[in-house]
Amino acid sequence: MKGNFQKMISGSQPVLVDFHATWCGPCKMQAPILKEVSAETEGKARILKIDVDRNRQLADKYQVRGVPTLILFKNGKPVWRQSGVAQKHQLIKLINQNA
């Protein structure tokens, strides 16, 4: 996953990464919000979901200490991050600003 991940976040199109876990309650709340954001910003950004339990090295690399943690990457670099559930309007605005 590591090499693929780097390739996925390296483009000029923003990539919103949701670091989550299957056992996490707030992550379950974040999932439908991300689906709506994806539908409303279609083509402007890519949304990836990374399970921290299956991708521990990746979570460690980006210092993910709590889930959900959302990180927006552009050109391979993190430009925004937030731990906890993010609201739809906030994410749409963020994507539009970075698209």
Side-chain angles (χ1 to χ4, degrees):
M1 172 58 126
K2 218 162 55 178
N4 273 351
F5 181 78
Q6 200 56 46
K7 198 183 291 177
M8 285 189 245
I9 64 168
S10 290
S12 59
Q13 184 185 47
V15 180
L16 183 62
V17 181
D18 173 23
F19 288 92
H20 69 98
T22 54
W23 46 262
C24 161
C27 298
K28 290 180 175 101
M29 292 167 45
Q30 186 70 70
I33 294 171
L34 289 174
K35 276 195 176 113
E36 289 179 31
V37 169
S38 178
E40 290 188 33
T41 61
E42 197 174 339
K44 289 185 181 177
R46 195 166 173 194
I47 297 177
L48 295 177
K49 294 179 75 58
I50 301 290
D51 185 322
V52 294
D53 292 326
R54 290 191 184 151
N55 298 283
R56 192 76 250 157
Q57 282 183 309
L58 217 45
D60 287 345
K61 178 178 179 180
Y62 292 102
Q63 299 167 350
V64 174
R65 302 287 174 252
V67 285
T69 292
L70 297 171
I71 303 177
L72 185 72
F73 291 90
K74 190 158 183 181
N75 299 314
K77 305 226 178 333
V79 293
W80 175 90
R81 76 181 284 149
Q82 175 179 314
S83 292
V85 177
Q87 299 307 311
K88 180 172 106 172
H89 65 88
Q90 176 191 10
L91 295 173
I92 289 172
K93 182 178 175 187
L94 178 72
I95 288 168
N96 286 334
Q97 287 171 341
N98 285 280

